[in-house]
Amino acid sequence: MELLIVEDEPVIGKALRQGFREAGHNCVWAKDGDRGWELAKSQQFDAIILDLMLPGKSGLDIVRDLRLEGIRTPVVLLTALGSVEERVAGLSAGGDDYLVKPFAFPELMARIEAVCRRSGMRPAPTVQAGDLSLDLATRRVVRGGHEIDLTPTEFSLLEFMIRHAGQLVTRKMLCEHLWESDWEGATNVIEVHINRLRGKLDKGFDRSMIQTIRGRGYALRAS
Ligand code: CA
């Protein structure tokens, strides 16, 4: 799954990020409400784990504004002990479930899975951009009816790019996604992988799927 954590407490944020990664999920951690809101409305997530008390835009405002914008991503709220009114307000603003801090990680995971099931938004089995589609369960990649064989690294790069289709993706972002680091030499390694990936995706097609944005990075065509 692709998860968004919006949480300002470093200890909780770090623990959640580590837990999700160990469970095999991708996650992005926003440390304040403004950043959380930006991410929640501009990227596609399978679920959002949202603290209510945040610097910047509050959790309550985030969930309410998401629903006002028609964004149905399941939201699990994290609340402080005893704040019944806060919980009620969060749920009536459009939250799907809540968990009172401190909580056990397995319980949070179970609740995320439950809200995803209920909303019928099981992790999108396929992601698409233009004539390109990725099946995340079978890891099958198809462009215009042609199946493309990718290495796990190429698949991971492409999955990241397709989730940011039409946006600038820097080499640094790709490094962090692949290796959780941005060491200097990685830039060249990324370039090699991207060139190979581009060769495979574009074989037999006139239009290149991946554009190079000189000196900055790449962008995958959204259509
Ligand atoms: Ca907080």
Side-chain angles (χ1 to χ4, degrees):
M1 282 193 271
E2 193 76 18
L3 302 169
L4 172 64
I5 306 164
V6 190
E7 169 63 79
D8 59 312
E9 286 165 56
V11 175
I12 298 177
K14 264 186 211 153
L16 291 182
R17 184 171 64 180
Q18 193 186 343
F20 290 136
R21 285 182 174 166
E22 281 170 6
H25 303 295
N26 285 326
C27 65
V28 181
W29 173 20
K31 292 165 190 158
D32 64 64
D34 294 339
R35 179 78 185 132
W37 165 241
E38 279 305 313
L39 287 164
K41 67 175 180 175
S42 64
Q43 285 184 35
Q44 204 184 315
F45 294 97
D46 297 307
I48 300 172
I49 298 86
L50 180 65
D51 184 27
L52 282 175
M53 293 277 279
L54 291 165
K57 194 175 174 86
S58 76
L60 196 61
D61 285 345
I62 292 174
V63 69
R64 191 188 51 224
D65 289 352
L66 282 175
R67 299 315 184 219
L68 285 175
E69 298 225 343
I71 298 169
R72 308 293 323 149
T73 312
V75 174
V76 176
L77 304 165
L78 303 180
T79 76
L81 185 65
S83 49
V84 178
E85 285 136 27
E86 201 184 73
R87 259 174 267 161
V88 170
L91 292 175
S92 48
D96 297 279
D97 201 353
Y98 70 87
L99 210 49
V100 176
K101 294 178 186 179
F103 51 83
F105 185 76
E107 186 180 3
L108 174 62
M109 207 58 243
R111 281 176 194 256
I112 293 169
E113 281 163 7
V115 295
C116 286
R117 269 198 306 277
R118 279 211 298 275
S119 75
M121 279 184 62
R122 269 317 281 166
T126 60
V127 283
Q128 282 186 295
D131 56 358
L132 185 67
S133 77
L134 263 71
D135 187 316
L136 300 175
T138 63
R139 301 181 83 77
R140 197 165 166 257
V141 181
V142 175
R143 183 176 180 192
H146 298 271
E147 194 162 341
I148 302 167
D149 240 351
L150 298 183
T151 64
T153 302
E154 289 161 356
F155 187 93
S156 180
L157 281 176
L158 184 58
E159 184 191 348
F160 186 83
M161 295 197 72
I162 220 166
R163 288 188 187 276
H164 298 81
Q167 301 167 23
L168 168 73
V169 173
T170 63
R171 292 184 185 90
K172 187 169 182 261
M173 285 162 76
L174 293 172
C175 285
E176 283 172 351
H177 172 66
L178 286 184
W179 304 296
E180 287 174 33
S181 81
D182 56 346
W183 52 285
E184 278 298 305
T187 303
N188 295 331
V189 182
I190 290 286
E191 224 170 278
V192 170
H193 284 301
I194 289 284
N195 285 338
R196 253 188 242 148
L197 176 61
R198 180 160 24 211
K200 289 183 180 181
L201 294 180
D202 295 345
K203 199 174 167 200
F205 293 90
D206 296 334
R207 237 160 66 107
S208 183
M209 279 306 296
I210 300 173
Q211 297 169 279
T212 298
I213 301 176
R214 240 189 138 65
R216 300 184 67 198
Y218 309 95
L220 186 85
R221 283 185 196 282
S223 60

